[in-house]
Amino acid sequence: MKTNLLFNKKTVFSFEVFPPKKTSPLETIYSTLRELGYFKPDFISVTYGAGGSLNGQTTIDIAHSVKHTYGIESVAHLPGINFDKAEMQKILHDLKCAGIDNVLALRGDISPNVPPKDDFRYASELVTFIKENGDFNVIGACYPEGHLEASTLKQDLIHLKEKVNAGTDQLISQLFFDNDYFYAFLDKAHDMGINVPIEAGIMPVTNKNQIERMVSMCGVNLPKKFKQMMEKYEHHPDAFRDAGIAYAIDQIVDLVSQNVDGIHLYTMNNSYIARRISEAVATLLAVPKTKQ
């Protein structure tokens, strides 16, 4: 099933997982998926790692299991920067053979250890190629506070519009910690004629190192109340974890009350955190969306 068809009547709730590192047993991800399946997300997306092809087949295998073993619709991430057109065509063939209908088309992060290829320098080029070479629902990424490489948010929105015009069917946002940035982004996107469903990406922060890494990678702003939370609990790991979960729940409650299209939870393969959040918001998500 194409996941863009899920947004008509409800607030979509989805998860993201990633393949385990080479030093971890592959079974760990399947144990996580069994636990995540209890919460009945609308879909689960599976990332590629840095370097793309290094764990590409693992991504396809996990996405296949999500759909065919656990009965949950799946999305496979696809970074264009690591592949030429011939390689991409083979991947799309493998995805279709695995029964995967949904892909998240990304330019991908440039790794210093893997030279980038030139066929897909921008996500919009990859979207066009996917649409020309398969019947997939194509998801794109968006950045409520602007992509780090964009000079302004307006420039980033112009590129996003190009990506949607190329055939992107829905969007998932980068993480953010201030909902006002997301609401302002939605208004600007709609003003530019970007009318595909846009899910809000939420990452529960459970330790200080995690947030410092996210800020350096994504350039997200930290609200005053978030910083106060970090300062108060940074030396108390369990309290920090619970405060981070509570903060994410608070974000989701506000977003759902404002009729956002969906919530995409970056689980970090942590089923305990996903369970705490899923249980807290389950009744909210069950309420039909109100007309605006």
Side-chain angles (χ1 to χ4, degrees):
M1 179 184 180
K2 295 181 178 181
T3 57
N4 66 317
L5 301 176
L6 298 169
F7 292 89
N8 293 333
K9 297 181 180 179
K10 63 172 294 183
T11 304
V12 168
F13 187 54
S14 56
F15 294 153
E16 179 180 288
V17 299
F18 53 82
K21 297 178 180 179
K22 289 184 177 180
T23 54
S24 301
L26 189 59
E27 174 56 30
T28 59
I29 188 61
Y30 295 112
S31 174
T32 298
L33 289 174
R34 282 193 293 272
E35 295 170 6
L36 293 178
Y38 295 140
F39 315 129
K40 302 187 184 306
D42 292 297
F43 66 86
I44 295 177
S45 72
V46 186
T47 72
Y48 261 68
S53 59
L54 297 179
N55 72 339
Q57 187 58 48
T58 302
T59 295
I60 295 174
D61 291 344
I62 294 170
H64 178 273
S65 292
V66 168
K67 182 169 183 176
H68 298 287
T69 302
Y70 303 104
I72 301 167
E73 199 53 60
S74 62
V75 173
H77 290 217
L78 202 50
I81 198 71
N82 303 116
F83 304 106
D84 59 31
K85 290 182 178 179
E87 292 168 328
M88 187 62 67
Q89 202 152 29
K90 181 182 185 306
I91 292 170
L92 294 176
H93 176 266
D94 291 345
L95 286 167
K96 187 54 69 175
C97 289
I100 308 303
D101 297 315
N102 307 282
V103 295
L104 178 56
L106 304 160
R107 184 202 68 178
D109 296 326
I110 298 175
S111 169
N113 302 317
V114 182
K117 298 188 178 180
D118 294 329
D119 284 355
F120 304 108
R121 295 168 299 165
Y122 306 103
S124 57
E125 295 174 336
L126 177 58
V127 173
T128 298
F129 185 84
I130 294 170
K131 286 295 185 179
E132 291 174 346
N133 289 274
D135 182 25
F136 292 94
N137 175 62
V138 179
I139 305 169
C142 59
Y143 304 85
E145 299 173 60
H147 193 283
L148 276 178
E149 296 178 20
S151 58
T152 64
L153 178 58
K154 182 176 181 180
Q155 183 196 55
D156 194 37
L157 282 163
I158 290 171
H159 293 319
L160 182 62
K161 176 67 171 173
E162 292 171 352
K163 189 159 55 177
V164 171
N165 288 346
T168 300
D169 299 290
Q170 68 186 86
L171 297 165
I172 296 175
S173 89
Q174 178 61 272
L175 62 96
F176 56 90
F177 298 105
D178 185 337
N179 287 2
D180 286 343
Y181 282 108
F182 185 73
Y183 297 138
F185 168 79
L186 289 182
D187 288 341
K188 290 181 174 68
H190 293 156
D191 287 345
M192 292 190 67
I194 298 171
N195 295 315
V196 298
I198 302 176
E199 276 193 278
I202 298 296
M203 177 176 285
V205 175
T206 57
N207 64 72
K208 189 177 180 181
N209 289 338
Q210 180 190 12
I211 186 55
E212 289 174 345
R213 187 167 61 250
M214 289 300 103
V215 169
S216 65
M217 288 176 58
C218 309
V220 294
N221 286 286
L222 301 181
K224 180 180 178 181
K225 64 179 181 179
F226 189 93
K227 292 178 180 178
Q228 290 173 331
M229 179 195 81
M230 288 176 55
E231 292 171 1
K232 183 173 179 63
Y233 301 116
E234 65 175 309
H235 301 299
H236 306 277
D238 290 345
F240 196 112
R241 178 201 63 199
D242 288 348
I245 291 170
Y247 192 94
I249 292 170
D250 186 56
Q251 278 191 275
I252 293 170
V253 170
D254 179 65
L255 290 161
V256 173
S257 71
Q258 297 298 315
N259 276 326
V260 297
D261 293 319
I263 304 294
H264 189 66
L265 188 66
Y266 296 106
T267 70
M268 305 302 291
N269 290 15
N270 190 316
S271 57
Y272 170 79
I273 293 171
R275 175 175 65 80
R276 289 277 304 274
I277 293 173
S278 298
E279 291 175 348
V281 303
T283 55
L284 306 179
L285 296 168
V287 176
K289 292 182 70 174
T290 56
K291 294 182 180 179
Q292 294 180 312

